[in-house]
Amino acid sequence: MIVRAILVSMVAAASALGLAAPAPAATRSANGQVVVFSTELQPLDIYTNPSGCQQLPATAHVLNNQTDGPVQVYGNPLCLGPSVTVKPGHGTHVPGGAGSFSA
């Protein structure tokens, strides 16, 4: 019973402090292209001057940042939580199925 009361108090405190749900990624626009490779049988997905949160294709494999700014890659479709920063001129493997990026 005491453990349950402590857990409820911790959840209430985290909610009050805004820690329960991270804020979505800031919206900005990047100049250039983000190019996503999925499979050898599919054409590249090209996002020209991307802005905001973009969901990656379900079969996405590699993201190449050819914009003038950093791109954040997330493991979920909503651009929330931990992310990997991809500098301009660099690339990274991306999570398949439900990933996203913001530029």
Side-chain angles (χ1 to χ4, degrees):
M1 183 71 170
I2 293 174
V3 172
R4 184 174 182 190
I6 292 171
L7 288 175
V8 169
S9 298
M10 289 174 62
V11 169
S15 296
L17 294 174
L19 300 176
T27 302
R28 69 172 190 84
S29 180
N31 294 317
Q33 296 180 329
V34 171
V35 180
V36 177
F37 167 78
S38 292
T39 71
E40 290 82 358
L41 301 176
Q42 296 174 266
L44 297 171
D45 289 288
I46 300 173
Y47 302 84
T48 301
N49 300 328
S51 67
C53 184
Q54 303 287 324
Q55 187 170 356
L56 291 167
T59 56
H61 186 69
V62 175
L63 179 142
N64 185 357
N65 179 11
Q66 296 182 356
T67 69
D68 60 355
V71 169
Q72 299 297 122
V73 178
Y74 301 86
N76 63 68
L78 303 174
C79 295
L80 298 174
S83 64
V84 172
T85 301
V86 182
K87 297 186 291 188
H90 290 79
T92 188
H93 286 91
V94 295
S100 60
F101 76 91
S102 63

